[in-house]
Amino acid sequence: MSERELGIRLALVVDDVVTLRRYLVDAGLVSRTPDGAVYQVVQRPAVSAASGTLEG
């Protein structure tokens, strides 16, 4: 999604969109293109709550 689209979504839950967006990227939960124009949620393997092991 574009930086604008992500900003709109984050603004629904926080006032400081820029800081949250930076934290999401730094935490590896969201990736972005080098120019910062396009963002993508990073897909991670699911963890089984019962066994604590990775699935998939």
Side-chain angles (χ1 to χ4, degrees):
M1 71 187 77
S2 71
E3 180 182 10
R4 184 177 187 331
E5 290 171 310
L6 180 59
I8 290 169
R9 291 178 185 203
L10 295 178
L12 296 173
V13 294
V14 297
D15 292 326
D16 190 352
V17 170
V18 174
T19 300
L20 179 55
R21 187 175 62 226
R22 182 180 307 267
Y23 287 157
L24 291 171
V25 171
D26 289 349
L29 300 172
V30 174
S31 65
R32 64 179 167 204
T33 57
D35 65 0
V38 178
Y39 289 76
Q40 184 175 354
V41 174
V42 174
Q43 299 297 317
R44 296 181 179 216
V47 176
S48 170
S51 66
T53 58
L54 295 176
E55 298 177 351

